[in-house]
């Protein structure tokens, strides 16, 4: 994977996007997704990246998939056959409001207790305790929102919840969302872990070079992306230095009241923005001093002509995914 040209990897990712979009129209056809997973596993093994580091970068994917499960699996579209149905539940407003009031009161008591001095520092040190406290606050707000919406309901008013229906189309939508995000996110991670930013931008510039005939500023676009990628670690380092400097002066952005935290964040962001603008001005001066201009052809440092291994990889990916669509 490290020997491949950057534009070869970009073409592979674009081709997989097109393939998976076409495969979505054929329900319960898993062959293209299995082939894509095989390509992902092969790429991870051939790239020799750390599996531990690679797994740490997938936590955001799990969050997205969990959200899509909640939003999509119970969606019934058209006349799609029902796989599983839960509910409906019917209850009077008096019973439901009584149970919800007790639940909200318990959540409010636990949330208020978590801010007492003996437990406050403990909750700040434990991530799962902070998460539980935020969930308690969410349940309290949801309870208040329910009572606000049901103002004026009689005690005998019947409330109906559900049914929650899982259809074949909803289940298929969840599966393809998971597979598409897994494949594309994995290949994007491998791309960033095995390709330098300069090589990546050079490959993107070469792929977009036909747009020059339309008088589009491809080189300026590539420079903008390169500078953005280059400044991300720089800004992170500067933010870390500012946080350590503020902590050395006694500032604490993680504790205190909401007003104190807001003031600490203000003290933190003002020098960060000033440093960012100063670096941008210095960079513009350096580009001007080196005679940078947006005309002419750029010299390629990393991207060369496609080698035999690039053609082999493109042929394997295109042929395997094309055959998977028609199996």
């Amino acid at each position: 994977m490290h020997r491949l040209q950057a534009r070869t990897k970009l073409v592979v990712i674009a081709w997989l996007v097109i393939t998976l979009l076409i495969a979505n129209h054929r329900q319960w056809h898993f062959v293209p997704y299995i082939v894509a997973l095989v390509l992902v596993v092969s790429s991870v093994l051939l790239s020799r990246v750390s599996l531990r580091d690679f797994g740490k970068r997938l936590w955001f994917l799990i969050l997205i998939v969990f959200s899509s499960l909640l939003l999509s699996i119970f969606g019934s579209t058209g006349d799609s056959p029902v796989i599983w149905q839960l509910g409906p539940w019917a209850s009077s407003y008096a019973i439901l409001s009584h149970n919800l009031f007790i639940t909200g009161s318990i959540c409010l008591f636990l949330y208020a207790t978590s801010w007492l001095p003996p437990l406050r520092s403990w909750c700040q040190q434990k991530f799962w305790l902070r998460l539980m406290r935020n969930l308690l606050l969410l349940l309290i707000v949801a309870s208040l929102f329910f009572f606000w919406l049901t103002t004026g309901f009689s005690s005998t008013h019947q409330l109906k919840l559900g049914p929650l229906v899982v259809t074949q189309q909803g289940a298929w939508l969840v599966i393809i969302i998971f597979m598409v995000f897994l494949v594309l996110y994995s290949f994007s991670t491998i791309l960033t872990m095995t390709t330098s930013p300069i090589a990546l931008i050079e490959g993107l510039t070469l792929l977009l070079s036909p747009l020059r005939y339309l008088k589009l500023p491809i080189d300026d676009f590539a420079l903008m992306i390169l500078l953005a990628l280059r400044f991300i670690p720089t800004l992170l380092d500067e933010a870390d230095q500012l946080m350590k400097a503020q902590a050395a002066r006694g500032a604490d952005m993680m504790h205190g009241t909401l007003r104190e935290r807001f003031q600490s964040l203000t003290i933190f962001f003002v020098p960060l923005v000033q440093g960012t603008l100063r670096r941008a001005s210095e960079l513009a001066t350096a580009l001007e001093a080196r005679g940078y201009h947006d005309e002419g052809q750029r010299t390629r440092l990393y991207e060369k002509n496609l080698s035999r291994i690039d053609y082999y990889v493109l042929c394997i990916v295109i042929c395997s995914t094309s055959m998977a669509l028609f199996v």
Side-chain angles (χ1 to χ4, degrees):
M1 292 297 294
H2 296 273
R3 295 169 56 188
L4 294 177
Q5 298 294 321
R7 59 184 183 276
T8 303
K9 304 173 189 178
L10 292 171
V11 170
V12 168
I13 294 177
W15 179 261
L16 286 175
V17 171
I18 296 174
T19 303
L20 295 179
L21 288 177
I22 297 174
N24 292 342
H25 297 284
R26 189 174 176 183
Q27 195 170 0
W28 305 113
H29 184 222
F30 293 102
V31 178
Y33 300 100
I34 295 175
V35 172
L37 281 179
V38 172
L39 293 175
V40 169
V41 175
S42 303
S43 302
V44 173
L45 296 178
L46 292 175
S47 61
R48 298 180 181 179
V49 298
S50 175
L51 296 179
R52 185 175 181 180
D53 294 338
F54 185 78
K56 288 181 179 179
R57 302 191 181 196
L58 295 180
W59 68 269
F60 186 65
L61 171 68
I62 297 175
L63 179 62
I64 294 177
V65 171
F66 181 74
S67 303
S68 65
L69 285 173
L70 295 179
L71 297 175
S72 303
I73 197 169
F74 294 110
S76 109
T77 307
D79 299 328
S80 181
V82 177
I83 301 177
W84 182 64
Q85 178 175 340
L86 184 63
W89 302 276
S91 177
S92 64
Y93 173 73
I95 298 176
L96 187 61
S97 60
H98 177 72
N99 295 333
L100 191 60
F101 178 77
I102 294 177
T103 304
S105 300
I106 295 175
C107 293
L108 181 60
F109 173 76
L110 294 176
Y111 181 78
T113 305
S114 66
W115 287 98
L116 294 178
L119 298 177
R120 181 176 178 179
S121 59
W122 191 31
C123 291
Q124 293 294 339
Q125 297 174 0
K126 303 294 184 179
F127 172 76
W128 65 274
L129 288 177
R130 294 198 303 269
L131 180 62
M132 292 298 296
R133 185 167 62 183
N134 294 332
L135 290 177
L136 289 175
L137 180 61
L138 182 62
L139 290 175
I140 294 171
V141 174
S143 302
L144 295 176
F145 188 68
F146 171 80
F147 285 112
W148 177 68
L149 288 178
T150 57
T151 303
F153 281 24
S154 62
S155 58
T156 58
H157 184 81
Q158 292 293 320
L159 297 178
K160 183 179 179 182
L161 178 63
L164 299 177
V165 180
V166 179
T167 62
Q168 289 187 5
Q169 187 169 356
W172 172 248
L173 182 61
V174 170
I175 294 173
I176 63 175
I177 288 175
F178 174 77
M179 297 299 295
V180 169
F181 270 98
L182 178 62
V183 172
L184 297 183
Y185 191 82
S186 300
F187 271 111
S188 301
T189 304
I190 295 172
L191 174 66
T192 56
M193 295 178 72
T194 59
T195 312
S196 64
I198 298 178
L200 181 61
I201 297 305
E202 286 184 0
L204 183 62
T205 305
L206 288 175
L207 292 177
L208 298 178
S209 57
L211 297 179
R212 287 195 179 97
Y213 296 103
L214 301 178
K215 304 299 181 181
L216 294 179
I218 302 302
D219 294 320
D220 292 343
F221 175 70
L223 178 64
M224 179 181 63
I225 298 179
L226 177 61
L227 294 179
L229 294 176
R230 175 61 184 85
F231 266 79
I232 289 175
T234 304
L235 292 179
L236 291 178
D237 292 340
E238 187 168 354
D240 183 62
Q241 293 177 3
L242 286 174
M243 292 182 66
K244 291 179 180 179
Q246 296 293 341
R249 292 177 173 86
D252 189 1
M253 292 179 289
M254 302 302 297
H255 302 85
T257 62
L258 184 61
R259 182 178 179 180
E260 293 174 350
R261 293 185 184 183
F262 181 76
Q263 291 177 351
S264 300
L265 289 176
T266 303
I267 298 174
F268 168 75
F269 278 110
V270 169
L272 181 62
V273 173
Q274 290 177 349
T276 303
L277 295 177
R278 184 186 69 254
R279 289 180 180 273
S281 177
E282 293 174 353
L283 179 62
T285 304
L287 288 174
E288 185 177 359
R290 286 172 171 82
Y292 176 81
H293 54 88
D294 57 355
E295 298 177 356
Q297 190 72 22
R298 303 298 171 196
T299 303
R300 292 179 293 177
L301 180 62
Y302 293 95
E303 286 296 290
K304 308 299 181 182
N305 295 328
L306 295 181
S307 61
R308 186 177 300 177
I309 189 174
D310 293 290
Y311 289 111
Y312 284 160
V313 170
L314 290 175
C315 290
I316 291 173
V317 172
I318 293 175
C319 293
S320 59
T321 52
S322 300
M323 289 187 296
L325 290 176
F326 299 101
V327 171

